Amino acid sequence: MAHDTQNTTTESAAPPRLFDMFAPATYAEWRAAAEKTLKGVPFEKRLITKTYEQILLQPIYNAEDIADLPHLTSLPGFAPFVRDTRTLGPVCERWQVAQELPYPTATEVNQAAHADLPRGLTTLNVPLDQATRQGIDPDVAAPSHVGAGGLSLATLDDARRLCDQLDLDHLPLLIHAGSQVLPVAGLLLAVAEERGLTPARWQGTLGADPLGALAADGSLPASLERCYDGLVEWTRWALIHAPRLRTIIVSTHVYHNSGANVVQELGCALATGVAYLRAMQERGLTVNDVAPRMQFAFSIGSQFFLEVARLRAARMLWARIVAAFDGNEVAQRMNIHARTSAWSKTRYDVYNNMLRATGEAMAAVMGGVQSLHISHFDEAWGLPDEFSRRIARNLHIILQEECNFFRLIDPPGGSWAIEKLTDEIAAKAWAFFQEIERQGGMAASLQAGKPQEAIAATRNERFTAIAHRREVIVGVNMYPDLQEKLPDIRQIDHLQLHTARAVDLRHAREIRDANACQTALTELAQQRTVAAVLAAVRAGATLGELSCALAAADTAAPQVEPLPAHRAAEQFEALRATADAYTARTGQRPAVFLANMGPISQHKARADFATGFFNAGGFAVIGNDGFAGVEEAAAAALASGAGIVTICSTDETYPDIVPALTHAIKSQSPTTTVVLAGYPTDLIDMYRAAGVDEFIHLRANCYEILARLQHLKGVVA
C-alpha cells in the first residue's frame, strides 16, 4: 500500500506550468523586437508619451521600475495610506452617491432630492450660486451671479424650503459655502432648531474654502484673517455639537477647470491644506482637531491611470504633511470627494459625455474616493433634467452592483504602471507644493500670481494640442456630426430669477422686526460666534446681512488675478456655434467643395481628412468620386457655389494639377479660396505663387485655419 501511494504521488505531481515551454523575455529583448517593427522610427518618438505633467509614459512597465519604492509594503488602512485610509476600503463603506443638484431655487433642489433619494442618491450635495458663495443677497447681486452654478440661498424661508421633509439627521450633507461658512450654517441650523433636528447626528461636509474662493473670484467679501476666524469658530463649534461634520474644504475644481495638470492641482491642494492647518493652529486648535474636519475635493480628468495614481499619491503626501505637524494616524487620513471633470465635457455630441464620465468615475472609484459626483451629460449646456440625472446616478449603481467595485480594496495596487506613476506624481506634486511654500504659502503665491502663471502655461499647451488635433475631442475637433439634434436644454433666465428673488427678499424684510434684527446684527458684528449668527437668523437677518456683520471693522480684503474657468472643447465649439448662427441667418451652411482628382484610391485619404477638418468648424463639405481633368473639376467647383475649394490628390500628381486648377478657378472667381490638402514642403512657394491660399495637413493648426476662413468668408457676423 505504501508503495502504491508513493507511485500515485509521483504520477500526480504538478504538471509543468503552461508558459515553462517559453523562455522568459527580458525588457531588452522586448524593446529590440518593438524597435524592429517601428522600421527606423525612434522608439522614444513613437512609443513614449510625454504628459502635461512632464511624465514620460512608457509602453510597458516591469518589476524593476518599482523595486525601490518605499510605499510598496504598505497596507490599506495603514500609514502612509497610499492604498486606502480604510482597512477594508469600500467593502464595508461604499462611496457616497453625491450627485450635485445645481438648481437655482430651494424648491427645485428639494423636489430633485425627494425624487432621487429613493433611487440611489445618498448625499445631499447642494452647490450654491455665485452670489451666495460671495455672501451677497440676490437682490443686490449682479443678475448674472444669481443662480450661477447652483442654489440662491438668502433667507430662513429659503432654508426651510430646501430642507422640507429631508431628514438631515440621517442624510449626509455636502455644501461648499464659499469663503465664509457661518451665514449658510446659521440658516441651516435655524431650520434644524425649528424642526427639532440634532446637529450631533449630522454628517458629511458643511464648510468653506477661502483660498479656493479667492482663486476663483479674485477677491473675498472679508479679509483672509476674518475668513479664518469664522472657519475656526465653526470648526470649534462642530467639535462639540456636530462631531461627525467636516467643516473645512480644500477644493481643486478651480484649478482643474482653468486647465491645470494633476501635479499642479495636487500641489495647490497640499499648499491650501497646510495654510488651513497653520491658520487653525494659530487660533488655538490642534492638528488632531482640524485635519479630520477637512474635506478634499478633486476633479477627475480623462487620463485614467494618472488620475488613479494622483489620488493614491494625494493620500500619501497628506499623511506625510500631517505627520510633520505631529498629527496622529487618525488625523493623517485624507477624506476625498471627487467630481468628474467639467473641463472635459462638450456641448456637441453630448451623449459622448456619458462615456467620458464613465472612465473618469472608474478612475475615481479605483483611486479610493469616499464620495463622488458623476457629471450629467448635459452639464456644459445648463441644468440637468430628470433623464440626465438618472443616467449619471445609475452609473454609480452599475459600478457598485454590476461591476462590484465596492468589493475591491485598492484594485490597482501592485500594478507596476500605477505604482510607478503614483511615485512620479507624488515627487512632482511635492516639488510644486514646496515651490509654493518658498513663495510664502498659498495666499502669498496667489497674490504673486505664481499658480495662475503656471496653470495658464499648461492651459495654453492644452489648447495648442487641441487646436492641432493632437489631443482628440470626439464629436468636436474630430469626427463631428453636423446633423446631430441637440438635446432639450434648460438654461437659467438670470434676469427673471433676479427679479423673483428680489421679491422674496423684500417680503422677508417686510415681515421681520427691523429693530430686533438690527440689534442682533450689531451683536453679531461684535461677537462673531455661531450663537450670535443663530440669534440674527432668528431675528430675520439675510445671508448678505450676516456676511456684512461678520466683516464689520475688517481690514482690506485680498485681491488676486482670478483663475478663469474653461472647457477643453470651447474653442471649436465657438467655431461650430458661429457656423450654426450663419446657417440660421442664411438658410445654408458655409460650404467647402472638394476637388478630388483622379480615382478614389488616389484622393480618398486626403478627401476624408479634409472632410473631418472642415466639419470641425461647422463647414458643410461637398464631396464627389473624383475628376479626370482640371477643366471638369473647375467647372464643378464653380457650379457648387462654395466659397472654398480644397484640392485632394497625391503629392506626386500635384505639380501637374494644382497650378492649372487654381488658375482655372481664380480666373473666373478671384474671391474663391483655394486650399491644398497636404504640405509638399519643397513646392509650397510654387503653389502659393499659383494662388493656393491655405494648406491643411496633420501638423496644421486646425482651429486657427478654420477661424481665419470663417472671418474671410463672412461666416462671422
Side-chain angles (χ1 to χ4, degrees), residues 174 204-205 246-251 291-297 335-337 370-371:
L174 181 49
T205 302
R246 286 179 290 276
T247 58
I248 303 167
I249 297 174
V250 178
S251 172
R293 302 290 163 313
M294 298 178 74
Q295 172 76 76
F296 285 80
N335 190 284
I336 300 177
H337 169 72
Q370 277 79 30
S371 59

Short mmCIF file of all heavy atoms in Angstrom, two decimals, residues 174 204-205 246-251 291-297 335-337 370-371:
data_model
loop_
_atom_site.label_atom_id
_atom_site.label_comp_id
_atom_site.label_asym_id
_atom_site.label_seq_id
_atom_site.Cartn_x
_atom_site.Cartn_y
_atom_site.Cartn_z
N LEU A 174 -23.29 67.77 1.71
CA LEU A 174 -22.09 68.25 1.04
C LEU A 174 -22.40 69.64 0.50
O LEU A 174 -23.01 69.79 -0.56
CB LEU A 174 -21.64 67.31 -0.08
CG LEU A 174 -20.37 67.70 -0.83
CD1 LEU A 174 -19.23 68.03 0.13
CD2 LEU A 174 -19.94 66.62 -1.79
N GLY A 204 -21.16 64.36 6.99
CA GLY A 204 -20.85 64.92 5.69
C GLY A 204 -20.00 66.16 5.84
O GLY A 204 -19.14 66.26 6.73
N THR A 205 -20.26 67.14 4.97
CA THR A 205 -19.44 68.35 4.94
C THR A 205 -20.32 69.58 4.78
O THR A 205 -21.16 69.65 3.89
CB THR A 205 -18.44 68.29 3.77
OG1 THR A 205 -17.63 67.13 3.89
CG2 THR A 205 -17.55 69.53 3.75
N ARG A 246 -17.63 67.54 8.76
CA ARG A 246 -16.41 68.19 8.31
C ARG A 246 -16.71 69.65 7.99
O ARG A 246 -17.77 69.96 7.43
CB ARG A 246 -15.83 67.46 7.10
CG ARG A 246 -15.16 66.14 7.46
CD ARG A 246 -14.62 65.41 6.25
NE ARG A 246 -15.71 64.90 5.42
CZ ARG A 246 -16.33 63.75 5.64
NH1 ARG A 246 -15.99 62.99 6.66
NH2 ARG A 246 -17.31 63.36 4.84
N THR A 247 -15.77 70.53 8.31
CA THR A 247 -16.05 71.97 8.29
C THR A 247 -15.13 72.77 7.39
O THR A 247 -15.36 73.95 7.17
CB THR A 247 -15.93 72.53 9.72
OG1 THR A 247 -14.60 72.25 10.21
CG2 THR A 247 -16.95 71.90 10.65
N ILE A 248 -14.08 72.14 6.87
CA ILE A 248 -13.07 72.84 6.07
C ILE A 248 -12.94 72.10 4.74
O ILE A 248 -12.77 70.88 4.71
CB ILE A 248 -11.71 72.87 6.80
CG1 ILE A 248 -11.85 73.53 8.17
CG2 ILE A 248 -10.66 73.60 5.96
CD1 ILE A 248 -10.65 73.32 9.07
N ILE A 249 -13.00 72.84 3.65
CA ILE A 249 -12.94 72.25 2.32
C ILE A 249 -11.67 72.70 1.61
O ILE A 249 -11.31 73.88 1.65
CB ILE A 249 -14.18 72.62 1.49
CG1 ILE A 249 -15.44 72.06 2.14
CG2 ILE A 249 -14.06 72.13 0.06
CD1 ILE A 249 -16.74 72.50 1.48
N VAL A 250 -11.01 71.75 0.98
CA VAL A 250 -9.89 72.06 0.08
C VAL A 250 -10.29 71.54 -1.29
O VAL A 250 -10.27 70.34 -1.55
CB VAL A 250 -8.58 71.39 0.55
CG1 VAL A 250 -7.46 71.69 -0.44
CG2 VAL A 250 -8.20 71.85 1.95
N SER A 251 -10.71 72.44 -2.15
CA SER A 251 -11.24 72.06 -3.46
C SER A 251 -10.26 72.45 -4.56
O SER A 251 -9.74 73.57 -4.58
CB SER A 251 -12.59 72.73 -3.71
OG SER A 251 -13.02 72.51 -5.04
N ALA A 291 -7.40 68.41 11.13
CA ALA A 291 -7.22 67.56 9.95
C ALA A 291 -8.40 66.61 9.69
O ALA A 291 -8.82 66.45 8.54
CB ALA A 291 -5.91 66.79 10.05
N PRO A 292 -8.98 65.97 10.72
CA PRO A 292 -10.14 65.10 10.44
C PRO A 292 -11.37 65.87 9.98
O PRO A 292 -12.32 65.25 9.48
CB PRO A 292 -10.39 64.42 11.80
CG PRO A 292 -9.10 64.52 12.54
CD PRO A 292 -8.53 65.83 12.12
N ARG A 293 -11.38 67.19 10.17
CA ARG A 293 -12.52 68.02 9.76
C ARG A 293 -12.36 68.55 8.34
O ARG A 293 -13.15 69.37 7.89
CB ARG A 293 -12.71 69.21 10.72
CG ARG A 293 -12.93 68.80 12.19
CD ARG A 293 -14.25 68.16 12.37
NE ARG A 293 -14.53 67.38 13.55
CZ ARG A 293 -13.80 66.44 14.12
NH1 ARG A 293 -12.60 66.20 13.73
NH2 ARG A 293 -14.27 65.75 15.13
N MET A 294 -11.32 68.12 7.63
CA MET A 294 -11.03 68.65 6.30
C MET A 294 -11.55 67.70 5.22
O MET A 294 -11.38 66.48 5.31
CB MET A 294 -9.53 68.89 6.14
CG MET A 294 -8.99 69.92 7.11
SD MET A 294 -7.21 70.21 6.98
CE MET A 294 -7.13 71.15 5.48
N GLN A 295 -12.17 68.28 4.22
CA GLN A 295 -12.70 67.54 3.08
C GLN A 295 -11.94 67.99 1.83
O GLN A 295 -12.01 69.16 1.45
CB GLN A 295 -14.18 67.82 2.89
CG GLN A 295 -14.80 67.26 1.62
CD GLN A 295 -15.01 65.76 1.71
OE1 GLN A 295 -15.93 65.30 2.36
NE2 GLN A 295 -14.15 65.00 1.06
N PHE A 296 -11.20 67.09 1.21
CA PHE A 296 -10.53 67.40 -0.05
C PHE A 296 -11.47 67.06 -1.20
O PHE A 296 -12.17 66.04 -1.16
CB PHE A 296 -9.23 66.63 -0.17
CG PHE A 296 -8.13 67.17 0.70
CD1 PHE A 296 -8.08 66.86 2.06
CD2 PHE A 296 -7.15 68.00 0.17
CE1 PHE A 296 -7.08 67.36 2.87
CE2 PHE A 296 -6.14 68.51 0.98
CZ PHE A 296 -6.10 68.19 2.33
N ALA A 297 -11.48 67.90 -2.21
CA ALA A 297 -12.37 67.70 -3.36
C ALA A 297 -11.55 67.84 -4.64
O ALA A 297 -10.97 68.91 -4.90
CB ALA A 297 -13.52 68.70 -3.34
N ASN A 335 -9.78 62.53 3.58
CA ASN A 335 -11.12 62.21 3.09
C ASN A 335 -11.30 62.89 1.74
O ASN A 335 -11.10 64.11 1.62
CB ASN A 335 -12.18 62.69 4.08
CG ASN A 335 -13.56 62.16 3.72
OD1 ASN A 335 -14.20 62.63 2.79
ND2 ASN A 335 -14.02 61.16 4.46
N ILE A 336 -11.66 62.13 0.73
CA ILE A 336 -11.69 62.64 -0.64
C ILE A 336 -13.09 62.57 -1.23
O ILE A 336 -13.72 61.51 -1.28
CB ILE A 336 -10.73 61.85 -1.55
CG1 ILE A 336 -9.29 61.95 -1.03
CG2 ILE A 336 -10.81 62.37 -2.98
CD1 ILE A 336 -8.30 61.13 -1.84
N HIS A 337 -13.57 63.72 -1.68
CA HIS A 337 -14.73 63.79 -2.56
C HIS A 337 -14.21 64.09 -3.96
O HIS A 337 -13.23 64.82 -4.13
CB HIS A 337 -15.69 64.89 -2.12
CG HIS A 337 -16.77 65.17 -3.13
ND1 HIS A 337 -17.80 64.30 -3.37
CD2 HIS A 337 -16.95 66.21 -3.99
CE1 HIS A 337 -18.59 64.79 -4.32
NE2 HIS A 337 -18.09 65.95 -4.72
N GLN A 370 -14.18 58.70 -1.19
CA GLN A 370 -15.28 58.42 -0.25
C GLN A 370 -16.64 58.87 -0.78
O GLN A 370 -17.68 58.36 -0.35
CB GLN A 370 -15.00 59.10 1.10
CG GLN A 370 -14.08 58.32 2.01
CD GLN A 370 -12.62 58.49 1.62
OE1 GLN A 370 -12.23 59.51 1.09
NE2 GLN A 370 -11.82 57.48 1.89
N SER A 371 -16.64 59.85 -1.67
CA SER A 371 -17.91 60.30 -2.26
C SER A 371 -17.62 60.81 -3.66
O SER A 371 -16.48 61.20 -3.97
CB SER A 371 -18.57 61.40 -1.41
OG SER A 371 -17.72 62.53 -1.27
#
